[in-house]
Amino acid sequence: DIQMTQSPSSLSASVGDRVTITCRASQTISTYLNWYQQKPGKAPKLLIYAASSLQSGVPSRFSGSGSGTDFTLTISSLQPEDFATYYCQQSYIGRTFGQGTKVEIK
Amino acid sequence: EVQLVETGGGLIQPGGSLRLSCVASGFTVSTNYMSWVRQAPGKGLEWVSVIYSGGSTYYADSVKGRFTISRDNIENTLYLQMNSLRAEDTAVYYCARGIASSSPFDYWGQGTLVTVSS
C-alpha cells in the first residue's frame, strides 16, 4: 500500500501569511496527487487535482506543485476562511489520504 | 446540479449490521467511480470501498469480508452494507464521486454518522 505523510500536522499562521504544506508518498505516484480542504462538521472539498490543477471555483491563492514522491500545497495569502484541515490524497493505486494538516489562527 | 445524500447511519450494537444509502442526482452513478470514505471522530479520512463503472469492487483491508458496496442503477443509488460491526467502525461515512479510476473525488455527500456501541 502507498503511504502518504503530511507535514506539519498542524501550524499556526496569521491572515496574510504564506502557508506551505508538504506531502510525501512512500513510492512514486507521478502527479496523481490531490488536495482537499475540510472544515469542522463539513465534507472535504477538492482544491487541487493532478498535483497542480486548480479545481473550478477555488481561489487562485491556492496552488500545488510536485511530482514523483514530494508535493506541496501553498496558500499565498491566508484568508480567514482558509483556517481548516488540509489532506493530500494519492490516486495512483487505490486511494490513500495523508493524516491531515490543521491550519489554526495565530 | 450534482448532489449526493447519504442516509442510514445510527447507533448499532457491536456485531450488528447496517446499510448506508447514497442517493445521487445530477449524474449517473453507474458511469462513475463511486467510493465510500469514513472519518472516525477527531481523526483523518480513510478510504473504505470503491465500485467501478464496470462493476468491479475493492475494499480497504480493515473492512474486507465485512462490508459490501453495491449500486442500484435504476434508483441511481450507492449502498454500503456493513456487517459484523466493531467499535472501530464508528465514524462519519461519506460517499464520493470520481469520474475515473485515477480521478480525485470531486463531489462528496454530507456524511452519515455510524456509532457502534453497546
Side-chain angles (χ1 to χ4, degrees):
Chain A
D1 290 2
I2 300 175
Q3 308 301 318
M4 306 301 294
T5 304
Q6 284 181 237
S7 61
S9 55
S10 66
L11 65 89
S12 296
S14 301
V15 172
D17 283 354
R18 182 182 182 88
V19 169
T20 299
I21 299 168
T22 63
C23 180
R24 175 166 288 178
S26 59
Q27 67 181 74
T28 183
I29 58 171
S30 184
T31 56
Y32 291 96
L33 192 283
N34 312 302
W35 291 97
Y36 299 86
Q37 176 193 66
Q38 187 181 33
K39 296 181 179 180
K42 300 294 186 181
K45 172 188 173 183
L46 177 64
L47 297 176
I48 301 284
Y49 63 95
S52 60
S53 295
L54 194 66
Q55 175 70 351
S56 176
V58 174
S60 59
R61 62 181 180 272
F62 291 93
S63 64
S65 65
S67 67
T69 60
D70 294 312
F71 302 87
T72 299
L73 173 70
T74 299
I75 309 172
S76 60
S77 178
L78 198 66
Q79 297 302 300
E81 59 268 31
D82 300 337
F83 291 96
T85 300
Y86 294 84
Y87 293 92
C88 64
Q89 177 210 39
Q90 66 83 16
S91 52
Y92 183 67
I93 298 175
R95 293 290 186 273
T96 317
F97 292 92
Q99 80 277 18
T101 296
K102 188 173 184 179
V103 177
E104 299 174 300
I105 302 173
K106 193 172 189 177
Chain B
E1 180 192 6
V2 170
Q3 196 170 12
L4 295 165
V5 178
E6 301 99 333
T7 57
L11 175 63
I12 187 76
Q13 291 189 336
S17 298
L18 209 55
R19 188 178 81 158
L20 306 183
S21 301
C22 171
V23 177
S25 56
F27 73 100
T28 303
V29 163
S30 63
T31 61
N32 284 267
Y33 165 105
M34 300 298 298
S35 272
W36 288 97
V37 176
R38 68 184 180 182
Q39 186 170 36
K43 302 297 184 182
L45 300 169
E46 179 189 17
W47 172 80
V48 172
S49 182
V50 61
I51 183 166
Y52 282 42
S53 56
S56 299
T57 58
Y58 298 91
Y59 301 90
D61 288 344
S62 58
V63 306
K64 201 174 295 182
R66 300 187 300 123
F67 289 12
T68 302
I69 190 171
S70 64
R71 68 190 181 207
D72 184 321
N73 296 344
I74 295 174
E75 298 295 327
N76 208 33
T77 300
L78 179 73
Y79 299 103
L80 186 68
Q81 178 67 42
M82 304 185 295
N83 299 331
S84 303
L85 282 161
R86 307 166 179 167
E88 54 265 35
D89 296 318
T90 294
V92 174
Y93 285 73
Y94 297 100
C95 63
R97 184 188 86 161
I99 294 174
S101 62
S102 58
S103 297
F105 297 143
D106 58 351
Y107 287 95
W108 298 64
Q110 84 289 352
T112 187
L113 176 62
V114 173
T115 303
V116 184
S117 174
S118 55

